[in-house]
Amino acid sequence: MRLIRYGEKGSEKPGIVDDEHVLRDLSGEIDDIAGEVLSRRGLERLAAIDPKSLPKIDPSHRLGCPVGRVGHFIAIGQNYAEHASELGNDLPSEPLVFSKAPSSISGPHDDIPIPPGSTKLDWEVELAIVIGERAFAIEESEAMDHIAGFCLCNDVSERAFQKERGGQFIKGKSAPGFGPLGPWLVTPDRVGDPQALDLWLNVNGETCQRGSTSDMIFSVKHIVAYLSDFMQLEPGDIITTGTPSGVGAGMKPPKFLKDGDIVTLGIEGLGEQRQVVTTYRKN
């Protein structure tokens, strides 16, 4: 299944994309794509519904993050060898873990506002895991049983905040608009092998990142099991799993995003995103 949430930010409704790529409304069946809906039982119930029996959605609607009520937005750093190398870092012996504020989450085509004081705004195409079942101290062999699906993520990063303001990654990863997710939450049966997906990112039409999840240092299964040793993962938690080489900070000379830039990105089977970089404006 390909699940979506559509509508104005904060008021999204649940939906599904049928095999003819038509958007269908699920709000008569569930209140949101969150909590129990993400469990194996919840997803089995949705899979039993004939999408063509559901009302069509006007495709002009805004798409939001395909997961509601995200409790924890976790990220893995330097999980591709070439990316670690381009930043001049040694390969990690264990996953490098940090958080992104859930308030950074946005839809796949929402603007990326440049936060006040930003000087080094960067991009990162990533595969994100959506947790469907509570997980604590699980084995790697159990990991897939706890995953509801996968989605595309742009782990937007402000490198000066990240590296020059006291060393805490979360500072450079958490501004509004720094977590575009979607367009879809894709269930594992439709994704196939999550370690065999091509991913890419362009800035203003210029190729910046090309890679494959086969190059991950730590696999999806390993990441989920590893994190469960330290914290209880809950349904709706999102884990973004690292980026391949080609980020702006790794270029020579470095290149960063500016007002008016257009970022496009995608992962095989998980859809595409498009964001316009804009100057931050208070509401």
Side-chain angles (χ1 to χ4, degrees):
M1 289 183 292
R2 293 176 293 175
L3 300 173
I4 62 168
R5 296 170 70 248
Y6 71 97
E8 295 303 311
K9 190 166 187 177
S11 301
E12 292 93 344
K13 296 180 180 180
I16 191 169
V17 183
D18 69 21
D19 288 339
E20 283 72 47
H21 309 292
V22 176
L23 279 56
R24 303 278 181 169
D25 181 39
L26 274 171
S27 60
E29 303 290 336
I30 56 173
D31 65 343
D32 204 354
I33 299 170
E36 179 64 23
V37 170
L38 295 166
S39 68
R40 288 189 297 275
R41 182 180 299 177
L43 293 174
E44 287 170 0
R45 178 174 174 269
L46 291 185
I49 299 170
D50 179 4
K52 293 185 178 179
S53 69
L54 302 169
K56 292 182 180 181
I57 299 169
D58 184 339
S60 67
H61 277 294
R62 168 189 173 271
L63 292 180
C65 170
V67 183
R69 304 197 297 270
V70 176
H72 199 173
F73 193 4
I74 308 164
I76 306 299
Q78 298 175 29
N79 196 26
Y80 289 71
E82 288 186 2
H83 175 55
S85 177
E86 73 177 344
L87 297 179
N89 298 319
D90 295 332
L91 296 186
S93 58
E94 296 188 33
L96 189 163
V97 181
F98 59 94
S99 291
K100 291 173 71 76
S103 57
S104 71
I105 291 172
S106 60
H109 310 307
D110 292 345
D111 291 346
I112 300 174
I114 304 172
S118 170
T119 58
K120 298 179 179 179
L121 188 64
D122 209 343
W123 57 83
E124 296 189 9
V125 58
E126 304 197 3
L127 172 69
I129 304 163
V130 179
I131 296 298
E133 301 272 355
R134 181 171 291 162
F136 181 69
I138 65 169
E139 299 295 328
E140 192 168 322
S141 60
E142 303 172 272
M144 291 303 297
D145 293 335
H146 296 265
I147 295 175
F150 301 90
C151 60
L152 170 62
C153 175
N154 186 358
D155 178 18
V156 182
S157 307
E158 212 303 328
R159 302 299 186 189
F161 294 177
Q162 176 185 347
K163 297 187 175 184
E164 301 167 18
R165 298 294 299 274
Q168 296 296 321
F169 276 27
I170 192 171
K171 296 176 184 177
K173 300 283 189 171
S174 294
F178 274 28
L181 291 162
W184 316 311
L185 164 60
V186 185
T187 50
D189 60 295
R190 193 173 181 114
V191 172
D193 183 358
Q195 304 305 148
L197 303 175
D198 293 333
L199 61 171
W200 58 271
L201 182 144
N202 298 340
V203 178
N204 299 326
E206 177 184 349
T207 299
C208 294
Q209 293 186 278
R210 286 290 185 276
S212 169
T213 57
S214 63
D215 294 329
M216 283 185 182
I217 299 168
F218 305 107
S219 71
V220 162
K221 293 178 182 179
H222 182 84
I223 288 168
V224 172
Y226 179 85
L227 290 173
S228 81
D229 287 342
F230 303 99
M231 65 189 78
Q232 182 166 280
L233 300 172
E234 297 286 351
D237 285 352
I238 293 175
I239 308 162
T240 191
T241 59
T243 197
S245 62
V247 299
M251 294 183 175
K252 301 187 187 317
K255 178 180 178 180
F256 298 110
L257 295 169
K258 61 186 184 302
D259 188 27
D261 283 348
I262 297 174
V263 183
T264 54
L265 58 149
I267 297 180
E268 179 184 358
L270 299 183
E272 299 183 5
Q273 297 184 358
R274 180 185 186 274
Q275 295 112 28
V276 179
V277 180
T278 62
T279 299
Y280 174 80
R281 294 177 178 83
K282 291 184 179 180
N283 293 333

